[in-house]
Amino acid sequence: SDADAKARHVEMADQAERVGPPPAPRSYLDVAAIIDAARLSGADAVHPGYGFLSESPAFVEACVDAGLVFVGPTADAMRRLGLKDEAKRIAVDAGVPIVPGYFDADADHARLRSEADAIGYPLLVKAIAGGGGRGMRVVEQCDALDVAIESAAREAAAAFGDDRLMLEKLIAAPRHIEVQIFGDTHGEVVHLFERDCTLQRRHQKVIEEAPAPEMSPKLRARMTQAAVTLASATGYAGAGTVEFLVEGGRLSADAPFYFIEMNTRLQVEHPVTEAITGLDLVEWQLRIASGEHLPSPQEDITCEGHAVELRLYAEDPAADFAPSVGEISAFQMPELGDLRVDTGVRGGDHVSPYYDAMIAKLIAHAPERSNAMQVLDAACTDMRIFGVTTNAAFLQALITHEKVLAGTIDTGFIAREIETLAPVSSEPPPGVVLAGLLAMAAKETASPFPIWNTNDAFQLGPPRIQKFELLVDETARAIAIRWQGATVMAANVDDAGEIFGTWQSAGAGAATFAPARDVAFVWHQSRGIRIERNAGLGGVAAHVASDTRLVAPISGRVASISLEEGAAVAVGDVIAVVEAMKMEHVLKATVTGKLARLAVAPDAQVAKGALIAEIDPEGASA
């Protein structure tokens, strides 16, 4: 798409074809555009990747009609197993246990409401199509059901072109375990062990590992056999993942487990399976699509060591995982012996609001799980990503948490521990700011802060002091630099201009990057801190939110507007929904009054901080 015209993967490709403008429905979800690209390139096969059309039976049929080989299952198998309602019926027939719920794909929203009462709360509203946590909402009480249904349907329609929904009972404290399977066109199906995907936020995976820690061999045998049985029941050919919930958070021999869905594609987390088996899963896909037998029988597939994958996102965990849109000023991954890095970005690339915010996957493979965690811990410390906010510090907090290391987790772990895992960033110490200032100075001249070119009343004798007004991560801050011989020190400046709290530069201990003479980035505690000279120049949102002003919390698309200008507004009324990547942000009124102004229209693209609406509290009695 146009948003990816200068992306790293496009530059690496031998040939690239334009498929449309940035919005996915007009490019990567446009079947005709993808088929045309295949024709123009002279391809004879299409590999669908992880998302977009990878689970669309209509796309598979379009490929076949165009004389192209689709690298994946048949449209019939995808339709039966990829749609969650049909897959559950197949599972029941095959004797595979399923989560209780309501799965009629043709049910309207009124029917869903009545069935929800029969199932009981809490429950899950889920999209029939697709995966990746899109179109999924937890409903704790009946009064939240209507909003969840409308929101899930809207998101599912945008992501998959299918707004149909189903309901599932919410299983208490589950572990999320998935089994990688492969089938060929000759009727053979094998499993490649399991992956533990329990660590999630918003039903989207954050960390995956293989094999599942503390998994009982008997439970593994039961689950892998259930996965193979399910795939065999449909003559499945290609890569697939059968996903289960294990009730109670323990992976003991007799633990109850339930089939929840099957992903009829390769998974984002497939590298951990490649690591423990030594197999190339994409090679297997291509061989099976070419009509070959499975490359290995079940008895030859073995598991060696332990692998863990971190999903590195451009997002702010402390701001409810809001995507971070903008230019990646610098991107550097560490070179560690047991570390594999899969990434599609580099310094200078732009994170857009149109697609998923994942910018890299870090995979560590080691003889023991603890060793793999140590490699990833070091990677989070040693990486350098500047320009966008990332979840690196959050990931590091996860993989060093005592309960994660002990394997005593469930899918609600992150939500419960979020305040400790992703605290609001504290103000960086002056030593860190000093490191940024020195980086700017080095960019400006070979000699930091040259004394002979500085108009600051320099004189021989007492220490020379320079004061700077800065933006530190968009927060105004005053800092002073004190020179004394060869020693450089930094101090805070209070509102009265007094200097206090001095730190030596040697204490900063931080990596820096200065793309320009008036801006620098410092990597500190696994996050990139932006430091800019001259407060007020750039980096500040155009508008400030208040009780009466609603602004966009992220850059994205206005998915809906709920009220018209002039309408009466009560506290809690939904005014608008802003969508970016895999998230919806609902903007609600915090005061009673009248909607005095709507600054945007549905489908408009807005920048973070853009004004959405203004409420006139005086209009409440008008």
Side-chain angles (χ1 to χ4, degrees):
S1 77
D2 294 342
D4 287 340
K6 297 181 180 179
R8 182 184 183 192
H9 67 276
V10 175
E11 183 177 282
M12 293 174 69
D14 297 309
Q15 183 175 348
E17 301 293 343
R18 179 182 182 273
V19 292
R26 299 173 60 193
S27 52
Y28 297 120
L29 288 171
D30 186 334
V31 172
I34 304 299
I35 297 297
D36 285 345
R39 288 198 182 103
L40 287 168
S41 66
D44 58 11
V46 175
H47 191 296
Y50 306 134
F52 296 123
L53 295 171
S54 61
E55 292 183 283
S56 168
F59 180 59
V60 178
E61 291 168 342
C63 288
V64 173
D65 291 344
L68 297 164
V69 173
F70 179 82
V71 182
T74 64
D76 179 64
M78 185 179 289
R79 193 169 277 115
R80 298 182 67 195
L81 288 170
L83 293 176
K84 301 179 184 72
D85 59 330
E86 178 66 15
K88 290 179 184 297
R89 283 188 277 270
I90 295 171
V92 170
D93 292 342
V96 176
I98 68 169
V99 178
Y102 181 72
F103 316 115
D104 185 350
D106 297 323
D108 59 20
H109 291 183
R111 181 61 183 270
L112 290 175
R113 293 182 186 98
S114 65
E115 293 295 337
D117 291 335
I119 294 168
Y121 297 89
L123 56 76
L124 276 175
V125 176
K126 296 178 69 173
I128 290 286
R134 304 296 310 259
M136 186 183 298
R137 301 290 185 272
V138 174
V139 183
E140 299 286 353
Q141 302 290 340
C142 63
D143 57 4
L145 182 64
D146 286 349
V147 171
I149 287 174
E150 297 299 330
S151 176
R154 181 171 58 245
E155 186 177 46
F160 316 121
D162 186 340
D163 65 355
R164 295 177 298 165
L165 303 172
M166 55 179 259
L167 305 173
E168 273 186 354
K169 180 68 177 174
L170 196 65
I171 301 299
R175 291 280 283 274
H176 188 143
I177 308 295
E178 62 187 27
V179 177
Q180 177 70 64
I181 62 96
F182 266 90
D184 63 22
T185 56
H186 307 282
E188 294 297 317
V189 178
V190 297
H191 73 82
L192 279 66
F193 301 99
E194 81 284 350
R195 298 185 285 257
D196 191 331
C197 306
T198 298
L199 289 169
Q200 306 173 4
R201 90 292 189 263
R202 284 204 180 88
H203 308 289
Q204 295 171 14
K205 300 161 188 173
V206 175
I207 295 177
E208 304 98 345
E209 53 186 309
E214 308 302 322
M215 166 75 90
S216 159
K218 289 185 178 180
L219 180 60
R220 174 177 293 122
R222 292 166 57 207
M223 293 183 72
T224 54
Q225 183 55 55
V228 169
T229 298
L230 183 69
S232 298
T234 59
Y236 190 85
T241 307
V242 185
E243 306 208 8
F244 299 95
L245 291 181
V246 182
E247 192 169 4
R250 304 294 297 176
L251 303 181
S252 55
D254 57 352
F257 66 89
Y258 307 95
F259 167 71
I260 51 173
E261 64 186 43
M262 181 167 177
N263 288 296
T264 56
R265 55 176 168 84
L266 198 66
Q267 295 281 83
V268 172
E269 59 271 22
H270 77 275
V272 293
T273 297
E274 293 186 326
I276 64 167
T277 61
L279 303 172
D280 184 330
L281 270 60
V282 177
E283 177 188 348
W284 274 46
Q285 285 187 292
L286 296 174
R287 290 188 179 280
I288 291 166
S290 299
E292 296 184 19
H293 286 269
L294 287 170
S296 300
Q298 188 69 68
E299 58 268 22
D300 290 347
I301 301 171
T302 58
C303 173
E304 299 276 342
H306 199 95
V308 184
E309 174 181 287
L310 306 184
R311 296 192 184 196
L312 186 67
Y313 282 87
E315 66 181 13
D316 186 355
D320 199 23
F321 297 98
S324 178
V325 175
E327 182 181 295
I328 301 174
S329 302
F331 184 86
Q332 179 182 338
M333 288 288 111
E335 294 184 5
L336 302 172
D338 295 322
L339 182 70
R340 164 179 165 179
V341 178
D342 290 3
T343 183
V345 302
R346 70 223 150 154
D349 283 352
H350 192 84
V351 179
S352 81
Y354 299 104
Y355 314 123
D356 190 275
M358 187 169 63
I359 55 177
K361 300 184 296 184
L362 283 70
I363 306 99
H365 181 221
E368 301 292 337
R369 181 174 184 258
S370 58
N371 302 135
M373 293 295 197
Q374 289 166 2
V375 170
L376 293 171
D377 183 14
C380 290
T381 297
D382 296 343
M383 68 174 67
R384 305 286 183 261
I385 305 169
F386 298 126
V388 294
T389 301
T390 76
N391 65 338
F394 166 72
L395 294 173
Q396 190 171 38
L398 266 177
I399 59 175
T400 56
H401 196 287
E402 59 181 5
K403 290 187 177 179
V404 173
L405 293 175
T408 54
I409 55 174
D410 58 69
T411 56
F413 175 78
I414 288 178
R416 291 194 303 272
E417 300 288 333
I418 190 61
E419 291 186 4
T420 57
L421 294 169
V424 176
S425 299
S426 58
E427 186 177 86
V432 171
V433 181
L434 173 60
L437 277 170
L438 292 176
M440 293 181 209
K443 185 80 175 181
E444 187 172 332
T445 175
S447 175
F449 305 107
I451 58 175
W452 308 118
N453 297 333
T454 303
N455 183 19
D456 66 348
F458 166 74
Q459 63 182 27
L460 296 174
R464 184 168 62 91
I465 297 174
Q466 290 176 275
K467 295 181 181 180
F468 295 89
E469 295 293 326
L470 304 169
L471 288 175
V472 180
D473 279 345
E474 299 186 0
T475 299
R477 184 168 172 185
I479 201 92
I481 301 299
R482 183 194 302 268
W483 293 78
Q484 188 158 8
T487 302
V488 186
M489 310 179 83
N492 283 325
V493 179
D494 64 17
D495 292 338
E498 297 296 322
I499 296 171
F500 65 95
T502 304
W503 285 262
Q504 285 187 255
S505 61
T512 60
F513 170 70
R517 59 187 291 175
D518 59 354
V519 64
F521 295 93
V522 183
W523 190 254
H524 176 66
Q525 296 181 344
S526 297
R527 71 183 182 99
I529 299 167
R530 179 187 174 95
I531 300 166
E532 187 174 4
R533 272 196 282 192
N534 299 321
L537 296 181
V540 179
H543 297 278
V544 178
S546 68
D547 287 344
T548 60
R549 296 167 64 86
L550 301 178
V551 302
I554 54 175
S555 296
R557 181 182 70 90
V558 179
S560 67
I561 298 290
S562 302
L563 298 173
E564 297 180 352
E565 276 191 9
V569 176
V571 174
D573 284 354
V574 174
I575 306 298
V577 176
V578 178
E579 178 192 51
M581 301 173 189
K582 288 187 175 182
M583 292 179 60
E584 281 190 343
H585 286 263
V586 179
L587 303 182
K588 298 180 179 180
T590 56
V591 295
T592 297
K594 180 178 73 174
L595 189 58
R597 181 187 176 196
L598 273 175
V600 296
D603 258 352
Q605 290 293 327
V606 293
K608 178 182 178 181
L611 181 66
I612 300 297
E614 289 185 279
I615 300 170
D616 177 12
E618 300 298 325
S621 57

